Amino acid sequence: MTSRSQRRLGRTIALHLVLTPLALVWLFPLWMMVVFSTMPDNGIFSPGIELLPHGNFLDNFNNLQRDTNFVGAIGISVSVAVTYTFLSVLLTSMAGWALARYEFLGKGLVVAIIFGTITLPYAVVLIPQFIMVARDFALANTWIALIVPPLFNSLGVLFMRQAFSMMPAELFDAARVEGVKEWRIFLFVALPLARPMLAALAIILFLASWNNYLWPLLINSQPGAMTAPVALGTLIGLTKVSWGGIMAGAVLLTVPMLIVFVLLQRHFIAGIAAGAVK
């Protein structure tokens, strides 16, 4: 083994020695969530520390389903998240394409405003948005209210603007010379080239919609229209808290997202790396 290979092996071992404890620290709360989801309510707060699963997960899930219709809430969350992700990726891609490839009056001002919206806390726009949607448009307790107001994503617009700016302009000019219309250039040339960035953005937006709690809590007051995080929050009462049901629901909400991220992490990392370097 050469000295260079030995140094590379030493760096790899040192890196794993540092990252493995950090990974265990990050994974420990997730493991305890799984353990708590298999324990009865009185066992979660027992004096001893339990590190192995028990056998009460089905009981906790049945109680969760009885109290919240959690399966239906998950169906609503999936439908809302998928629709929101598709529409938001499409709109942010169109906005990013326009800001990257077209010149128009006030373009710099538009980019500056989009940058400025990133600095605004969500609480600043939450109440005005609620008043406009619920009172002025009378869209409370509708799917439109869940999906449409959060569609604009300034970070997504800037991310896709950066992605399209990295592409060679000569490629699109050649397509225009061949007589290809602008919308076809966008759909069949630009978007396929931006596939890794689109995948990364889609994962981020899907997770944001899946985990969104505050806006669905405000805009939907009907039990049958609750998303899964809101339904899970209803288990916290003034006199009783169903901790076993909460932990079971948290596992059902978390495990699919971990699986999706593990399966798509290659696209996610490639998209983030490609969008961060110009």
Side-chain angles (χ1 to χ4, degrees):
M1 181 180 294
T2 64
S3 59
R4 179 178 298 179
S5 300
Q6 290 177 345
R7 289 195 299 268
R8 186 182 298 114
L9 178 61
R11 287 195 297 267
T12 302
I13 294 175
L15 184 63
H16 280 77
L17 289 176
V18 173
L19 294 182
T20 299
L22 293 177
L24 293 177
V25 170
W26 183 82
L27 290 173
F28 183 73
L30 297 179
W31 174 249
M32 292 308 301
M33 177 182 66
V34 174
V35 172
F36 288 153
S37 70
T38 63
M39 299 173 62
D41 288 348
N42 57 0
I44 293 177
F45 295 98
S46 61
I49 299 178
E50 298 285 346
L51 297 178
L52 296 177
H54 292 237
N56 290 83
F57 182 84
L58 289 180
D59 292 336
N60 291 332
F61 173 76
N62 290 333
N63 293 334
L64 173 67
Q65 178 65 19
R66 182 195 62 213
D67 296 336
T68 65
N69 186 23
F70 197 68
V71 174
I74 287 181
I76 294 175
S77 287
V78 171
S79 302
V80 169
V82 170
T83 305
Y84 166 79
T85 301
F86 174 78
L87 293 177
S88 188
V89 167
L90 179 62
L91 292 177
T92 53
S93 298
M94 294 169 63
W97 171 257
L99 293 174
R101 292 301 173 185
Y102 297 133
E103 296 295 333
F104 53 88
L105 183 64
K107 175 181 174 180
L109 178 61
V110 171
V111 174
I113 292 175
I114 294 176
F115 267 110
T117 58
I118 297 179
T119 65
L120 289 177
Y122 183 57
V124 173
V125 299
L126 182 63
I127 300 304
Q129 179 176 282
F130 172 77
I131 294 174
M132 181 176 65
V133 173
R135 186 190 66 184
D136 300 339
F137 294 154
L139 291 175
N141 299 308
T142 64
W143 282 44
I144 295 177
L146 282 174
I147 297 172
V148 174
L151 276 182
F152 174 75
N153 187 279
S154 55
L155 186 61
V157 172
L158 297 174
F159 183 74
M160 293 311 301
R161 171 178 174 265
Q162 176 70 11
F164 291 130
S165 297
M166 296 164 51
M167 300 177 184
E170 294 80 7
L171 182 64
F172 307 120
D173 293 337
R176 294 187 182 98
V177 170
E178 294 294 329
V180 181
K181 297 184 180 297
E182 290 294 325
W183 67 271
R184 292 181 64 88
I185 295 175
F186 172 70
L187 288 179
F188 300 110
V189 180
L191 288 185
L193 291 176
R195 188 176 302 168
M197 286 73 77
L198 290 174
L201 180 61
I203 293 173
I204 294 172
L205 294 177
F206 185 87
L207 290 177
S209 178
W210 183 263
N211 295 322
N212 193 7
Y213 175 78
L214 187 55
W215 176 248
L217 176 66
L218 287 177
I219 203 63
N220 275 344
S221 58
Q222 297 179 355
M226 290 181 179
T227 58
V230 177
L232 204 59
T234 60
L235 294 179
I236 301 177
L238 295 177
T239 58
K240 179 183 177 182
V241 179
S242 180
W243 292 110
I246 291 175
M247 291 295 104
V251 169
L252 294 176
L253 289 179
T254 302
V255 171
M257 292 300 96
L258 291 177
I259 295 174
V260 168
F261 182 78
V262 169
L263 294 177
L264 300 178
Q265 63 175 330
R266 179 170 59 87
H267 302 285
F268 179 77
I269 295 174
I272 293 296
V277 179
K278 180 176 181 181

